[in-house]
């Protein structure tokens, strides 16, 4: 086999209102795993030039089973959600301070100021 499982199709939508075919699992030490380019979550648009649009799941499975030894896949990579501001550097660091780093000290300062004000009023 090709070393991966698929989900989706017109009769078994994996994502609501989307009948596309997706990679659900890559089998360790299978052909796709050893090749390294395919990822779980990728949308498969075509196999060996045959469009997978509007196919039932079992028809897509048949195309994969009969693909032969030389297989060409056209895929659409799943977009990874980004944490951080728009100019995210991609090095694992966000571009600014976390909101809590600003709010917590600010809140502590405000509470302290109110406490001092109340203590001062009591002495008068």
């Amino acid at each position: 086999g090709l070393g991966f499982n698929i989900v989706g199709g017109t009769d078994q939508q994996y994502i609501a209102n989307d009948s596309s075919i997706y990679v659900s699992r890559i089998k360790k030490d299978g052909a796709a795993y050893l090749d390294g380019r395919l990822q779980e979550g990728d949308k498969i648009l075509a196999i060996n030039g045959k469009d997978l649009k509007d196919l039932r799941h079992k028809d897509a499975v048949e195309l994969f089973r009969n693909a032969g030894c030389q297989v060409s896949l056209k895929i659409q990579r799943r977009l990874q959600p980004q944490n951080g501001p728009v100019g995210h550097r991609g090095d694992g660091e966000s571009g600014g301070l976390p909101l809590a780093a600003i709010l917590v000290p600010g809140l502590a300062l405000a509470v302290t100021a109110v406490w001092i004000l109340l203590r001062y009023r009591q002495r008068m």
Side-chain angles (χ1 to χ4, degrees):
L2 300 174
F4 63 93
N5 294 357
I6 60 171
V7 292
T10 57
D11 56 338
Q12 296 179 18
Q13 291 182 350
Y14 176 63
I15 296 175
N17 301 316
D18 182 356
S19 59
S20 301
I21 303 297
Y22 291 88
V23 176
S24 63
R25 183 172 158 254
I26 296 179
K27 299 173 184 176
K28 189 170 171 114
D29 297 328
Y33 178 85
L34 296 172
D35 177 78
R37 290 180 283 179
L38 197 62
Q39 296 179 9
E40 291 178 359
D42 285 349
K43 181 191 288 192
I44 304 176
L45 304 174
I47 180 168
N48 294 338
K50 295 179 184 174
D51 191 3
L52 298 182
K53 190 175 180 179
D54 297 325
L55 286 181
R56 293 180 301 177
H57 180 80
K58 71 176 190 171
D59 296 330
V61 169
E62 256 336 280
L63 283 176
F64 284 96
R65 284 190 178 144
N66 297 320
C69 295
Q70 294 287 330
V71 178
S72 172
L73 297 177
K74 181 178 179 184
I75 63 139
Q76 180 178 345
R77 179 82 357 115
R78 168 186 54 184
L79 293 178
Q80 297 292 332
Q82 295 270 334
N83 293 326
V86 173
H88 185 65
R89 297 187 304 257
D91 59 3
E93 297 290 326
S94 65
L97 290 174
L99 186 57
I102 298 167
L103 291 181
V104 171
L107 184 59
L109 185 61
V111 167
T112 303
V114 169
W115 182 79
I116 290 171
L117 181 63
L118 290 175
R119 293 288 278 178
Y120 178 75
R121 281 190 161 178
Q122 285 178 350
R123 290 187 181 173
M124 292 183 89

